Amino acid sequence: MPPSDNARTVIEQHSLAFNVDRATISVLIDEEVAWPSSALGCPKPGMNYLDVISPGFRVVIEQGGRQYSYHAGRNGNFFLCDREK
């Protein structure tokens, strides 16, 4: 099955940010998520978040023997959640 639009976005974003070949990236998880707060599953220390169900997405990739978890809200603006290793 070909990668979803979300997975393609994350692969492109990761390859540009880390200067790696897209072919070295594997998609492990590509799912819709109901995040339990506006932190979108990646709270930062010292920040306050709303405790509301926030629909979004999670794409976990593997590259170079390491997993990277990218999170997004409904808008699809993915960011690397460095809290998860």
Side-chain angles (χ1 to χ4, degrees):
M1 180 150 87
S4 70
D5 288 343
N6 287 337
R8 283 192 297 275
T9 296
V10 166
I11 289 168
E12 180 67 17
Q13 187 174 330
H14 188 83
S15 69
L16 291 172
F18 291 90
N19 195 29
V20 296
D21 185 345
R22 288 178 210 84
T24 66
I25 300 171
S26 300
V27 177
L28 304 177
I29 299 170
D30 180 2
E31 63 184 357
E32 286 189 44
V33 179
W35 300 112
S37 77
S38 62
L40 303 178
C42 197
K44 295 191 182 339
M47 298 292 293
N48 295 317
Y49 299 96
L50 298 175
D51 289 327
V52 296
I53 301 299
S54 301
F57 307 96
R58 179 171 72 131
V59 175
V60 178
I61 59 169
E62 188 276 329
Q63 192 275 318
R66 183 169 174 212
Q67 291 185 15
Y68 300 86
S69 185
Y70 284 83
H71 297 194
R74 186 184 342 219
N75 62 9
N77 291 331
F78 283 90
F79 64 93
L80 177 60
C81 180
D82 58 9
R83 186 180 65 84
E84 296 182 22
K85 302 294 180 213

